[in-house]
Amino acid sequence: MSPRRAFVSTAAARQRPTTTTSTMASPLSPRRTSVRPASAVVVVVVLLMSVITAEGSQGDKEPVYRDCVKQCVQTNCTGARLRWYETVQPQYMALTGWTCRDDCRYECMWTTVGLYQAGGYRVPQFHGKWPFTRFLCFEEPASALASLLNGLACLLMLLRYRSTVPRQSPMFHTINAFSLVSLNAWFWSTVFHTRDTFLTEKMDYFCATAVILYSIYLCCVRTLGLKHPAVSSIVGVLLIVTFTSHVSYLTFVSFDYGYNMAANISFGMLNMLWWLCWCWMNRRTLPYWWKCVLVVVLLHGLTLLELLDFPPLMWVLDAHAIWHLSTVPVHFLFYSFLIDDSLYLLNTEKLGVKVE
């Protein structure tokens, strides 16, 4: 934990929320809301709204915040004071990359929030994020917990799938691989919401894109590849090239948030329409088709929660965290569909029935 800054006024400190843990530092980049699979149409609305409210990070533009950070760094993050800080800093904070400068930012963030509240103004954002109460080393504890729960739900249902569906099922290995890609994405989402850095942000974004593209491949294998394996192979190669090009551009050319969102919207739209068309065409032959439709509808409907952008409740729970929490039950429904469909394919293959 950081030493109490001498420049933090008593009046401002009284406006800071009461908490048993120190508050988080705000990162240096704009709010980067991860685009998860099936974001499609609703994210377009979010994008349009973000253009309208692009001024965003009012808090970190305030002279009082900038001067506060500058003075804090000069006073506490050099020489003997810095060595003392490194001595008293908890090990888990050091291991997750928290620095003296980071602590200065979150101390000054709360000072500025206190001044805003004292003046009767709306709580501002800092570097594109709402102010959150940091719990241990977790920048956004609610979103980190929600990502972890999504990962656990995915893991639990993967284990159930593997214990229920024989390996001989035509989709077994493809679904197993999809689950591993999803688990990896939720792992990095948890890490990103725990500690927002240049690396964790990129991993969160890239792994989320990988899930969307692999979901397209999963859909292709299920709808076309079982009859025409060459088609799914070609699509798989195209998706790998697309992913490689996407990551290369964002890494070596420009990390363009607008382009990244537009790309994920396009991928998600293709994935959504493909699944829905297939479900509609097979609604009379597959009694469980509604599960797939409901999953798609829920994922898109729940994304509307992202539009409810508000200061975190109790400085912890924001719209993004609520969105992630709401998607946890969807994993159970989606894997229920995958289990039903895999067993159907296995039975029809044994009976020699033409696969739909």
Side-chain angles (χ1 to χ4, degrees):
M1 65 181 64
S2 60
R4 176 60 61 185
R5 318 303 184 200
F7 54 82
V8 178
S9 66
T10 304
R14 282 198 297 265
Q15 297 299 324
R16 182 176 175 177
T18 303
T19 175
T20 56
T21 60
S22 53
T23 45
M24 67 158 56
S26 60
L28 298 178
S29 51
R31 174 64 172 176
R32 287 92 50 188
T33 302
S34 302
V35 179
R36 297 292 173 202
S39 313
V41 179
V42 175
V43 178
V44 176
V45 181
V46 179
L47 178 59
L48 292 176
M49 290 186 65
S50 68
V51 172
I52 297 174
T53 59
E55 55 204 44
S57 308
Q58 182 177 350
D60 56 271
K61 294 178 182 178
E62 291 289 347
V64 64
Y65 173 80
R66 293 174 178 267
D67 293 342
C68 177
V69 173
K70 181 179 179 180
Q71 183 177 349
C72 175
V73 171
Q74 291 176 346
T75 304
N76 299 284
C77 302
T78 57
R81 293 299 298 273
L82 176 60
R83 290 191 292 273
W84 178 82
Y85 168 86
E86 293 172 343
T87 307
V88 300
Q89 184 187 36
Q91 191 65 27
Y92 59 82
M93 295 292 286
L95 290 175
T96 48
W98 289 97
T99 66
C100 180
R101 179 182 291 272
D102 292 329
D103 276 344
C104 281
R105 289 187 182 124
Y106 81 70
E107 289 285 352
C108 293
M109 175 183 70
W110 288 114
T111 299
T112 307
V113 168
L115 293 174
Y116 264 72
Q117 291 184 315
Y121 298 103
R122 186 173 185 266
V123 175
Q125 292 187 344
F126 294 80
H127 305 288
K129 284 189 173 184
W130 292 111
F132 289 91
T133 295
R134 184 178 66 191
F135 175 70
L136 299 177
C137 60
F138 296 92
E139 282 190 59
E140 299 177 62
S143 290
L145 175 62
S147 296
L148 177 62
L149 291 176
N150 275 278
L152 291 176
C154 185
L155 176 60
L156 178 63
M157 294 309 295
L158 170 60
L159 296 177
R160 181 181 175 186
Y161 178 87
R162 298 182 67 172
S163 64
T164 305
V165 178
R167 298 174 65 88
Q168 293 75 23
S169 178
M171 291 294 295
F172 181 89
H173 297 290
T174 305
I175 292 174
N176 187 70
F178 170 76
S179 300
L180 296 178
V181 172
S182 299
L183 284 171
N184 178 65
W186 285 116
F187 167 79
W188 283 108
S189 178
T190 304
V191 172
F192 172 64
H193 289 302
T194 299
R195 187 71 175 100
D196 181 354
T197 67
F198 179 83
L199 174 62
T200 60
E201 177 199 26
K202 302 304 178 288
M203 293 303 296
D204 177 57
Y205 269 49
F206 297 159
C207 293
T209 301
V211 175
I212 301 175
L213 293 177
Y214 202 98
S215 183
I216 295 174
Y217 178 72
L218 176 69
C219 184
C220 177
V221 173
R222 177 60 185 92
T223 59
L224 299 175
L226 297 180
K227 298 178 183 178
H228 311 286
V231 174
S232 60
S233 298
I234 294 173
V235 171
V237 171
L238 291 176
L239 291 174
I240 291 174
V241 172
T242 299
F243 179 73
T244 303
S245 301
H246 179 75
V247 171
S248 297
Y249 175 78
L250 292 175
T251 302
F252 302 112
V253 180
S254 172
F255 196 88
D256 188 326
Y257 294 103
Y259 157 74
N260 182 70
M261 180 172 285
N264 281 283
I265 290 171
S266 301
F267 301 150
M269 180 69 74
L270 173 61
N271 185 47
M272 176 193 69
L273 294 177
W274 198 339
W275 276 115
L276 288 179
C277 288
W278 176 81
C279 289
W280 180 256
M281 293 172 60
N282 292 277
R283 67 189 186 281
R284 299 186 187 281
T285 57
L286 304 178
Y288 49 84
W289 66 275
W290 61 271
K291 294 182 180 180
C292 183
V293 172
L294 187 56
V295 167
V296 173
V297 171
L298 281 175
L299 286 176
H300 283 77
L302 292 173
T303 310
L304 287 170
L305 292 170
E306 281 284 77
L307 299 179
L308 305 176
D309 197 23
F310 52 82
L313 302 175
M314 298 178 291
W315 307 108
V316 174
L317 192 64
D318 69 331
H320 188 72
I322 294 174
W323 175 38
H324 275 343
L325 286 169
S326 68
T327 61
V328 174
V330 180
H331 293 282
F332 297 94
L333 181 60
F334 182 53
Y335 275 88
S336 176
F337 160 75
L338 294 177
I339 291 173
D340 290 345
D341 192 54
S342 295
L343 293 177
Y344 166 82
L345 290 173
L346 183 62
N347 292 331
T348 54
E349 185 178 69
K350 290 179 178 179
L351 296 173
V353 180
K354 182 179 178 180
V355 175
E356 297 296 335

